[in-house]
């Protein structure tokens, strides 16, 4: 009997470890069958109910996620974490009033929770209340200066405000406080972007995607920076560096008129054909990239 009990405890510990591992790497669907099995064994398992709420959030079923979280609260799950989660679920749907109510409910229970205050600040930023957002985020930083979440939200704030100096500072802060390798790589990519280092940014996104190939946002960024750094787009990069298509057109007209005024018709013809071919190439380059390059990481 004792052996059976010990085995059951070991199995539950193993399940908990596997679920935590899947959550850490963002593979929520892989954790779902294990959580569902736990709930079949005990429908009042508060932890499993909350974990299933997280899975539903990943599926973008925000209402279902909130309902499961409230069930978890009913069976004794931590109220601060629970209401924090409910607020985030409302926030994802753009229901800022309901999200604020949930965050304030959690703050009533723990008014000096830095990560919770940071989440509230981020909500205020999304709702357009910049001064309140900044005050809340600064309060969160004072309470938890080494929190990855707090520093990440402050970084989001400075990106929203286009403050390059502070963006670089908080990217460094996040890199110091984060243990999440994927997040560190994406932040490092942003750091390279700010410095105009496109190839280095692309490499960071490539490594992040290899670590988490299910993240479509990282894939989209990788494809974007891959195109920016690919030789097929060198003419576009050249055009951008000299001022854009309008500058190229003006330069073409000036040179063409100069050649015409000098009666240099053969050079004018060669120059015009070259310009036309150059223009056609810039139009078809994205198609060539899509056909021959896209998808090669």
């Amino acid at each position: 009997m004792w052996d059976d009990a010990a085995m059951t405890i070991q199995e539950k510990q193993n399940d908990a470890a596997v679920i935590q591992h899947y959550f850490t790497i963002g593979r929520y669907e892989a954790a779902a069958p294990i959580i569902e099995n736990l709930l079949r064994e005990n429908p009042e398992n508060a932890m499993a109910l909350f974990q299933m709420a997280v899975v539903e959030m990943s599926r973008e079923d925000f209402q279902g996620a909130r309902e499961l979280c409230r069930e978890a609260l009913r069976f004794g799950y931590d109220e601060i974490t629970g209401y924090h989660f409910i607020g985030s679920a409302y926030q994802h749907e753009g229901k800022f009033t309901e999200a604020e109510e949930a965050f304030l409910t959690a703050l009533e229970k723990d008014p000096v929770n830095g990560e919770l205050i940071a989440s509230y600040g981020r909500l205020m930023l999304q709702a357009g209340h910049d001064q309140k957002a900044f005050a809340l985020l600064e309060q969160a930083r004072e309470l938890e200066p080494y929190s990855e979440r707090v520093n990440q939200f402050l970084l989001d704030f400075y990106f929203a405000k286009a403050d390059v100096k502070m963006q670089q500072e908080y990217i460094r802060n996040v890199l110091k406080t984060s243990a999440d390798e994927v997040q560190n790589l994406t932040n490092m990519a942003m750091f390279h972007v700010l410095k105009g280092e496109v190839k280095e940014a692309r490499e960071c996104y490539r490594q992040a995607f290899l670590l988490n190939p299910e993240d479509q946002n990282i894939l989209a960024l990788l494809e974007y920076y891959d195109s920016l750094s690919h030789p097929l787009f060198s003419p576009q990069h050249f055009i951008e560096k000299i001022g854009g298509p309008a500058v190229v057109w003006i330069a073409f007209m000036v040179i063409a008129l100069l050649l015409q005024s000098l009666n240099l018709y053969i050079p004018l013809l060669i120059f015009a054909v070259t310009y036309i071919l150059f223009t056609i190439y810039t139009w078809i380059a994205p198609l060539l990239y899509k056909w021959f390059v896209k998808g090669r990481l």
Side-chain angles (χ1 to χ4, degrees), residues 193-204:
V193 169
L194 292 172
K195 295 172 69 177
E197 298 169 348
V198 174
K199 289 184 179 179
E200 290 81 356
R202 189 264 179 195
E203 179 59 23
C204 287

Side-chain angles (χ1 to χ4, degrees), residues 80-94:
I80 299 165
T81 304
Y83 283 108
H84 192 169
F85 178 86
I86 290 170
S88 297
Y90 276 124
Q91 186 176 355
H92 274 86
E93 286 189 292

Side-chain angles (χ1 to χ4, degrees), residues 108-127:
E108 285 177 6
K109 304 177 186 305
D110 187 0
V112 291
N113 186 315
E115 294 197 352
L116 179 55
I117 293 169
S119 292
Y120 186 24
R122 192 186 193 198
L123 173 69
M124 291 297 98
L125 176 63
Q126 280 190 271

